[in-house]
Structures are given as structure tokens and as C-alpha cells.
Amino acid sequence: MRFPTQIALIVLVALFTLISLESRAQLPAPKPVPEGLSEQLTQQLSARRSTLEARRQSLENAVRQHDQECSWVPADDVSRVEMCRSRSNQLQGEVQSFFIALDDFDQAVKLAVASAKLIRIVDAAKSGITPYVYTLFDEIETLLGPIFARRFEKG
């Protein structure tokens, strides 16, 4: 009856190896903060980007360390198998959380760019350039519609 247990442990080790290989992929870096935004908004987005970049690097280091420690686990080392499984689950959760934060940052950048463009349109309309008045609401719908729709989808 020892044979099925050994097969199960070998399969488990193979699974950890696949997870390990899959996790070696680099995480995407946050996009740069675009130019043309207000100084305050640029500072806020730059600080947020720096925090995301530090988080990305830390997470990549943690994944590399996990890969080194867990790329090959002896079948009879049950405690190490369990430790690797637990750490892998934790890292997967952290990676998922990072992607959510990265998506939120991207949406904030898009909203900031849309806001800056709308401010320029409103300023042009106030200066007496009437064609901008007619396109103002079209621009609002075009720029902000997808952003707000996405926010409502997240719940």
C-alpha cells in the first residue's frame, strides 16, 4: 500500500514545481505617470506608483526565494511540502492583490488624464471658443464613461 502514497507525493512535488516555474514570470511594472497633470496630482500618482514599484520588487524577490526553497521537495519531507504549499498560496494571494492595486492605479491615471483634458476643454469654452461647448458633453461621455462603468462593475 505504500506505492499509492509515493505516487501522490510525487504528483504533489510535480505540482509545486509547476507552480514554481509559473511564478517565475515577472510582474508588470506600473505605467509611468503622464505629463500635463497638475503638480499635486502628479505628486500623488508618483508616490502611489513608487509604492507599487517597491511592492512589485518585494513580491518578485519573495517569489524567487520561494522558488529556490521549494523547486525540489523530497517526497518524504511532509512538513516542507506543507510549508511550500502554504507559502505558495500566500504568494498567489499577494500577486492577485498586486494586480488589483495595479489596475486601480491604471484607472486613477486614466481618470486624471481625462480630468485634465476636460479642464482644458472647459477653459477653452470659457474663453469664448463656442465649438468646445457643443463637444463638452460628448467628451465627458467618451472619456469618463468607460472609467465609471468599470468602477460600477467592481461593485
Side-chain angles (χ1 to χ4, degrees):
M1 272 305 204
R2 191 169 179 204
F3 184 69
T5 304
Q6 288 177 337
I7 291 177
L9 287 175
I10 290 171
V11 169
L12 190 58
V13 169
L15 176 65
F16 280 123
T17 302
L18 288 175
I19 290 171
S20 210
L21 291 174
E22 182 180 323
S23 66
R24 286 192 183 135
Q26 288 188 339
L27 296 171
K31 294 176 184 171
V33 176
E35 296 180 10
L37 303 176
S38 71
E39 184 178 334
Q40 180 184 6
L41 196 52
T42 299
Q43 288 174 352
Q44 289 172 350
L45 289 173
S46 294
R48 195 168 166 188
R49 185 187 185 284
S50 295
T51 301
L52 272 173
E53 180 60 26
R55 185 175 171 189
R56 180 185 71 86
Q57 290 176 357
S58 173
L59 192 53
E60 283 181 349
N61 289 337
V63 167
R64 271 191 290 280
Q65 181 180 356
H66 172 267
D67 288 350
Q68 289 173 353
E69 294 172 359
C70 298
S71 62
W72 187 86
V73 179
D76 59 348
D77 193 348
V78 178
S79 65
R80 189 166 165 206
V81 167
E82 185 57 37
M83 185 272 305
C84 288
R85 177 188 299 141
S86 174
R87 183 69 177 133
S88 177
N89 290 340
Q90 179 186 1
L91 286 172
Q92 287 175 359
E94 290 176 22
V95 167
Q96 185 177 22
S97 174
F98 172 78
F99 276 107
I100 291 169
L102 188 63
D103 185 54
D104 287 346
F105 174 75
D106 288 344
Q107 293 303 314
V109 168
K110 288 178 184 177
L111 184 59
V113 169
S115 296
K117 186 172 183 181
L118 288 174
I119 288 170
R120 287 192 299 275
I121 291 170
V122 169
D123 287 346
K126 286 180 183 177
S127 69
I129 303 174
T130 55
Y132 283 108
V133 174
Y134 296 111
T135 62
L136 179 60
F137 291 110
D138 291 335
E139 287 291 331
I140 290 171
E141 184 178 353
T142 302
L143 294 170
L144 298 181
I147 293 170
F148 288 126
R150 187 170 179 109
R151 292 234 181 249
F152 288 122
E153 286 175 6
K154 286 184 180 181

